[in-house]
Structures are given as C-alpha cells and as structure tokens.
Amino acid sequence: MRITNAYVIVTSPGRNFVTLKIVTDEGVYGIGDATLNGRELAVASYLTDHVIPCLIGRDAHQIEDIWQYLYKGAYWRRGPVTMSAIAAVDMALWDIKAKAANMPLYQLLGGKCREGAMVYAHANGRDIAEALDRVDYYQEKGFKAIRIQAGVPGLDKVYGVVKGGVYEPAIRAAAPDETPWATEPYLDHAPKLFEAARERFGWDLHLLHDVHHRLTPIEAARLGKSLEPYRLFWMEDPTPAENQEAFHLIRQHTTTPIAVGEVFNSIHDCRELIQNQWIDYIRATIVHAGGITHLRRIAALADLYQVRTGCHGATDLSPVCMGAALHFDLSVPNFGVQEYMMHNAETDAVFPHAYTYADGYMHPGEAPGHGVDIDEELAAKYPYTPAYLPVARLRDGSMWNW
Ligand SMILES: [Mg+2]
C-alpha cells in the first residue's frame, strides 16, 4: 500500500490544531495530530516542507522503518517540533494499518488490558469554595479522579484558574500574556485546599494537583511533605525536569507520588527519572513524544520500574491525539490514568470521533483505525489565529517558569 498524497490541515475551532492526512493508493487514509501549542505553524512547515516530500511512494505499512527514517534521517534528533511531526506521521500510519485490518487500533497493539481508561477532570476555582464546587460537579458526572487548582490569596492570576468561563490556557493574542508569581503564598495555601477537599469529599476520590514547574526542588519537597496527609494521587511537574537529578532531592523527602513529562519529547528526557524510580507517573504524550511507536517504548521502559503512564490530555491536544491515546491506554500493561479536559462543541464537530466517556472511564470505541476523523470543509471555516500560553514573572520582574 503506497502513500500517494499527504497534506497538513490547520484549523482553529476555538484553539489551533494541526492535522496531517496521509492518503494511499488503496483509498485508505489516516490522520495524525501535529499540534504544538503556541508553535503550531513550525510543525506544519516541518511536515509540508521537509517530511511530506519524503513520504510519497513509501509503503504505508512500514511504520517502524518510516519512524527510523524520519528520526535518524533528519540528522538533527529530538526536539518538540521534529518529534511532533514524526508523531503525526506515526499516528496516521497506525490509523491506516488498523483500517486496512478492519480493526480498532488497540487490537493491533496487543488487545485490551482493561475495559476502559480511568480519566481525570480539572476542577478550577478562584478560591477554595469555588474549586470544591467544581469537584462536586465532576464527581456527579462520575469522575473517580479530579485535579484541583485554586486561586491563591494575594496572587492576581494563578495557573489553572480563570476569571469566569471555561479555562483555556492559550490566549489569542500576538504575544503571550504576562502573569505574576510568588512561591510563598502558594506553598502556604495548597495544603489548605486539599485539607478542605478531604473534609468535604472524604477519601473515596483520587485527588491530583499540578504545580506547573513553579517550584525549586527543595520547595517541591516541602510541598510534597505538606500534602502527604491528604493522600494525593499525584503531584504534577513539581519542578522543571531538564535536570533529571533534581527529582532525586524531592524523592528523598516525600512519599507524595510524582508525575512529570507533558513537555517531554523523547525517552531520553525521562530515562534517569524512570531508571532511578524518582517518579511514579510518566506524562509524555503521543503527539509530542514521537507517536504511538515511541510512546510504547517509553511505557515499556517505565513498566520495568513500576512507573505507570498518565498521558497529558489537555485541550492543546486535538481529538485525534485523544483517540490514539485511548487505544494506547487500553493496551499498555502499566497504564495509570489519562487526563481528559473536554474540547468545545466546535472542536468536536470538526473532529468526529468514536471515543466515549461514561462513569469515570473512557473507551476508544470499536471503529477501525483510531476512530477519529476530520471534517475538512468545516475545518476550513476556522482559520489559524495566533495564540500563546502565558509567561510568569516573579514580583520583582524576573522571568519564572510558567
Ligand atoms: Mg500539567
């Protein structure tokens, strides 16, 4: 089965998404997500200008060989732009192979290890009371795991919290929004949030929290210790992870489980974290970490060390990635949890999908392939609009980690 055509579709039904479509001589086509939040057009160009011309004429069944060809053949290895482009090709080829086999993708990945993927929702509030009302809302929808973020007194804007409306981190503007950050009020406030959550909801609910790279290692250690009484499912991205050794320090001080990796793009970003058992959950995604082919390698390494998966699943990943992720989630032995931040109605209409949610779990559906398609006519009605994640500065104006 030869690849005869491939092209990139950029659409913005409320936020920007980049999708690669690969067409074969047998009429079977596949699609892959290539969305890199805030750098969307760089991946679109990488695909259109440098990858697609090399794909035409290749055998669409040779997924591993094409992965190696794009990875080793670029000479310049790794990086989010390269790996997102490779991921899009990989996702589309797995979609084609599963459609050709007339099977849902998880069957080609070894079949299901579980009946559904437990997902966690986002409960955000301007203060503790509002955040806990959102927990209530999601618990009534059946969620077994909920991430909680609340505004911090004295801080004007806080990660995960928006003043009214639905939370969408990327803001449509020509340049990123600038937000203030101060660590001390946050460190004092976070344990109060989870104390109140346990008081109101008891212990039969998984609670998660995202630190969003805001702390130094020793501050993260202090936070982990202060949250231990509230038995978190995980503390996410406590500190930036370029220096993997930083997690050794955190690990020496706290038993609060640690999740990291939504910005990773390679197994080499987490090799030391996994092999030293400095983390409990690896959050790398199919779209940013080289596709299903590469994420399976990461999961296999993690399984040796009892590290489980917890794929990033915010709205900056398109429904195509969500669909592919659910097939991955069903098939890997060491699945932990899947993030599920629902897309808006316009996005769901552009990307018709087979996956479903019920009572705290998601299922990819039984459609052949990964089960997600794109309505190109509708997609064309939403042209690309520049949008960026905010940046953070300390009170004295120093740039900090957002
Ligand atoms: Mg996060």
Side-chain angles (χ1 to χ4, degrees):
M1 192 177 354
R2 296 286 154 189
I3 297 171
T4 52
N5 190 17
Y7 53 95
V8 172
I9 304 153
V10 180
T11 183
S12 192
R15 66 152 5 273
N16 295 312
F17 296 110
V18 180
T19 307
L20 173 69
K21 184 166 183 173
I22 297 180
V23 183
T24 67
D25 59 358
E26 293 181 23
V28 182
Y29 69 88
I31 61 171
D33 184 17
T35 307
L36 183 61
N37 200 350
R39 297 293 184 271
E40 294 89 356
L41 299 185
V43 186
S45 163
Y46 192 101
L47 283 166
T48 303
D49 298 328
H50 307 292
V51 171
I52 288 172
C54 307
L55 289 179
I56 307 302
R58 289 189 185 278
D59 181 354
H61 278 308
Q62 293 186 336
I63 298 176
E64 182 68 47
D65 181 66
I66 290 175
W67 196 97
Q68 299 290 337
Y69 173 76
L70 294 174
Y71 184 79
K72 293 173 178 163
Y75 189 66
W76 312 103
R77 298 186 182 202
R78 303 164 60 182
V81 174
T82 300
M83 296 302 275
S84 297
I86 293 175
V89 174
D90 188 77
M91 242 179 282
L93 294 180
W94 277 108
D95 192 25
I96 288 169
K97 190 183 280 290
K99 282 176 176 169
N102 197 30
M103 283 181 178
L105 174 57
Y106 72 81
Q107 295 289 13
L108 295 193
L109 303 179
K112 63 184 179 184
C113 290
R114 56 195 56 79
E115 296 305 319
M118 184 173 76
V119 290
Y120 71 88
H122 286 202
N124 309 321
R126 283 166 293 186
D127 53 29
I128 291 176
E130 193 175 80
L132 298 192
D133 285 348
R134 290 303 285 175
V135 174
D136 205 30
Y137 170 83
Y138 284 113
Q139 206 177 18
E140 289 203 349
K141 288 188 176 301
F143 282 90
K144 318 287 183 225
I146 301 174
R147 190 191 86 161
I148 317 180
Q149 311 290 137
V152 176
L155 279 178
D156 193 32
K157 294 177 183 172
V158 171
Y159 167 77
V161 179
V162 71
K163 287 176 176 164
V166 177
Y167 183 63
E168 168 51 66
I171 296 161
R172 286 180 162 179
D177 192 22
E178 304 231 345
T179 60
W181 177 251
T183 298
E184 285 305 327
Y186 166 74
L187 283 176
D188 290 338
H189 191 66
K192 292 175 192 160
L193 170 63
F194 286 93
E195 183 183 16
R198 284 300 182 202
E199 249 171 44
R200 179 158 160 189
F201 299 104
W203 297 85
D204 192 22
L205 178 65
H206 296 303
L207 300 181
L208 296 76
H209 183 62
D210 191 351
V211 184
H212 227 259
H213 313 114
R214 298 299 170 83
L215 303 178
T216 65
I218 197 66
E219 289 165 349
R222 180 179 143 200
L223 177 68
K225 275 176 96 163
S226 70
L227 294 176
E228 277 173 21
Y230 314 114
R231 206 199 65 202
L232 263 58
F233 186 91
W234 78 33
M235 168 173 78
E236 176 179 336
D237 289 338
T239 198
E242 289 102 323
N243 173 20
Q244 298 180 38
E245 180 87 25
F247 286 74
H248 185 201
L249 188 148
I250 303 171
R251 202 61 153 174
Q252 286 175 316
H253 292 283
T254 181
T255 58
T256 294
I258 298 170
V260 70
E262 68 182 51
V263 302
F264 293 176
N265 55 69
S266 163
I267 197 167
H268 301 291
D269 293 331
C270 52
R271 196 163 46 79
E272 293 163 62
L273 290 170
I274 289 170
Q275 290 178 326
N276 292 299
Q277 295 176 296
W278 290 333
I279 60 169
D280 302 280
Y281 296 91
I282 179 68
R283 281 180 46 71
T285 63
I286 287 172
V287 59
H288 301 136
I292 292 161
T293 297
H294 195 64
L295 202 62
R296 286 177 91 202
R297 282 197 185 97
I298 294 176
L301 174 70
D303 190 37
L304 299 179
Y305 299 92
Q306 298 187 52
V307 173
R308 291 190 282 167
T309 67
C311 290
H312 182 57
T315 45
D316 63 349
L317 315 180
S318 92
V320 182
C321 183
M322 190 73 209
L326 289 167
H327 288 274
F328 168 87
D329 295 341
L330 231 57
S331 65
V332 291
N334 53 326
F335 169 76
V337 72
Q338 166 72 50
E339 184 177 17
Y340 177 42
M341 196 174 161
M342 286 155 243
H343 291 106
N344 63 21
E346 291 82 4
T347 300
D348 283 337
V350 170
F351 297 97
H353 50 262
Y355 61 75
T356 52
Y357 167 86
D359 200 28
Y361 294 86
M362 287 182 79
H363 194 283
E366 298 296 337
H370 56 47
V372 186
D373 209 340
I374 184 164
D375 180 334
E376 293 179 59
E377 246 175 70
L378 192 55
K381 292 184 178 161
Y382 301 104
Y384 169 78
T385 311
Y388 293 97
L389 294 171
V391 299
R393 290 186 188 276
L394 300 180
R395 282 168 168 162
D396 69 354
S398 311
M399 270 298 292
W400 197 242
N401 312 305
W402 188 75

